[in-house]
Amino acid sequence: MKFYTCITIIILNSFTLLSFAQDQEIDSLKTVIETLKDDSTKVNTLNDLSSLLFTTQPDLSIMYALEAMELGEQIRFYKGVALALKYMGLGYYTK
């Protein structure tokens, strides 16, 4: 019985660590976005951020996807536009 209790505690702790790591990644992507110029790298970074947020914060995910879509259309980066539409749809689906 102690074995199962220990395994359960280890599993629950690992979920906490994964959540903390994801929060750090979100914060770092937000910081990077502010420094990037308007090009495909920024579109990809906005899409990465949107993909991390659509399950937990769908409104923010939609906002970043919309920004990625608009910038992608402006610079004619259509792969980025397609990904932005995907994450926007997932955000609305989760909402």
Side-chain angles (χ1 to χ4, degrees):
M1 190 65 169
K2 285 185 178 183
F3 175 74
Y4 292 114
T5 305
C6 288
I7 294 295
T8 303
I9 290 171
I10 290 171
I11 290 172
L12 290 176
N13 283 337
S14 66
F15 285 127
T16 304
L17 292 174
L18 288 174
S19 174
F20 181 70
Q22 188 175 9
D23 288 343
Q24 284 184 328
E25 187 175 1
I26 290 169
D27 290 341
S28 67
L29 285 175
K30 286 179 181 179
T31 304
V32 167
I33 286 171
E34 294 173 6
T35 63
L36 292 174
K37 57 184 179 174
D38 290 348
D39 62 1
S40 61
T41 305
K42 187 169 186 174
V43 173
N44 288 333
T45 307
L46 286 164
N47 282 329
D48 290 342
L49 185 55
S50 181
S51 74
L52 291 173
L53 292 170
F54 79 85
T55 56
T56 56
Q57 299 176 7
D59 290 329
L60 271 178
S61 175
I62 293 166
M63 183 190 76
Y64 286 116
L66 182 62
E67 187 177 343
M69 184 190 73
E70 290 171 350
L71 179 58
E73 287 176 343
Q74 183 181 18
I75 63 171
R76 298 177 188 219
F77 179 53
Y78 297 115
K79 286 184 180 183
V81 172
L83 266 178
L85 289 169
K86 172 188 172 183
Y87 294 125
M88 195 180 308
L90 287 169
Y92 279 115
Y93 178 77
T94 305
K95 198 172 173 182

